[in-house]
Structures are given as structure tokens and as C-alpha cells.
Amino acid sequence: MLLEVNNIEVIYNEVILVLKGMSLEVPESSIVTLLGSNGAGKSTTLKATSGLLKPENGETTRGTIAMSGQRIDGLSPEAIVRLGIVQVMEGRHIFEELTVEENLIAGSHVNRKAGQFRDDIEKVYEYFPVLKKLRKRVAGYMSGGEQQMLAIGRAFMTGPRLLLLDEPSLGLAPLVVEGLFEIIVRINQEEKCAILLVEQNANIALDIASYGYIMEKGQIVLEGPVDELKVHKNVKEFYLGIDETGTRKSFREIKHYKRKKRWFSS
């Protein structure tokens, strides 16, 4: 098992309990998705794994996080990246004042050997040809989709064993999303890089992942192979927008549906 998150609790500002006994696993070279409503604790789970809680006054107060059997909870973000875990945060965090290629070079200074970054940049350009065309463009002037490609490309430059992707489709057009996820699958298959995916588009997340977890209020309420999750009646209704008759609901109907108190009980 590559990543093991075991019964962790996370508190913000010493009083706000966000994760309450959160556990999940990511096998080597796999794609695992983490789904849930807004505020369920998905991003907090990723930040606890990558060591990025402290800047937000967050702290893991219970449980363990391990990579290949080595505990990483308590390590600095820099140390965690050097072990091969890198997070692509929601909102396309890039160096907007640098060019595309300068952003990629910045990502190469973690785990790559001297001189290797040129080969790695060419690999990024192979996955994202548009970045090669824009390599001298200042990153802040690119479109949202191009910036998301750059954020993933820069993460690739660290030589990751596990990519933590937080809402990569957010704010992007459907055609851009489709192309982006095709590349994410290629990176997983060709580089044997495991992926833990937090994604608002449950349909596409369940299509590319092999295993999924559903979070509610800081806890896992359902998990299983994606083929089983896709046919679970509550997953179909609340995440895929399909009712018991097989009719797809509108976004408005899904958004305003009042959830049952224990909707995963059956």
C-alpha cells in the first residue's frame, strides 16, 4: 500500500474539529477518488497528507499517515514532497509572474538530478503540447485550463509517486475537462504514478478511478470499487443525478434536494 491514512483527526484553530476518524488507502499506481459535499473535509484530508495544514492553523491531533509504511505525519511539506507526494491545490496555484518554462524549472528543484530537468520538461510538453507553444508566455496571462495544465506539469517535475489533485476541473469548460482527464489517466498509466483525486464531477471521477470513498462531515460514510459505487442508489441520486427510475435530474433538483439524515444506511 502506497498511502495509508489511519483514523486521523484534524482541528483548526485548536477548536474546530474537521476530520473525525478519517481513514483511507491508496495502492501503488492506482487512481482513488474522494467525493463529498462542500465542507465534508476532502481538501483537509489532502492537506493533512501533504503537510499543508499548518499555514491554515490546522493540526493533525490523532491517528497516523504513512507512505510505504513510513510515517509522514509531522514531517514538513518539503520533506513530504521529497518522499514523492505532491499536491496540486484547488485554484491553480502557479507563479503568475514567471513564464511557463520558468514554472516548470521551479518544480524540478526538489527531487531531480542536475541536468535532468530538460528531459522532464520535454516529457511535460509531450503530455501538454499547448504548454510547449506557450513556454515563453507569462503564466498569469494564460487561460484557466492552461494554468491547470501548468500546475499539474509543475507537480510532475518533482518526480511524484503520488499526486494529490484537488478539484482539477473547477471552473473549466467541459471539453477542456475531458482532455485534461485523458492526460491525467495517461500520467497514471505511463508513469505508474498513483493519484488521489478530489473532484466535483463525480461522473468523470468514478469513470477513471478504481476505488472511491464518500465523505460526509469529516468521516467516510461509504467506500468501495467504483463499479459498486456507481450502482449504489444514493450515489446515483446525490452524485450522479439519476433517480430510481433511471431519469437524470437537473442540477437545480440535485442542489436543493434535502438529504436524509442517514442516507447511506441502505
Side-chain angles (χ1 to χ4, degrees), residues 61-79:
T61 56
R62 181 180 176 184
T64 62
I65 304 174
M67 182 175 183
S68 299
Q70 175 185 349
R71 283 190 65 172
I72 62 173
D73 49 290
L75 295 182
S76 68
E78 295 85 358

Side-chain angles (χ1 to χ4, degrees), residues 202-223:
N203 283 286
I204 198 166
L206 293 173
D207 278 344
I208 72 168
S210 59
Y211 199 87
Y213 294 87
I214 309 286
M215 285 190 78
E216 287 291 334
K217 297 182 179 179
Q219 297 174 308
I220 298 298
V221 295
L222 184 68
E223 65 175 278

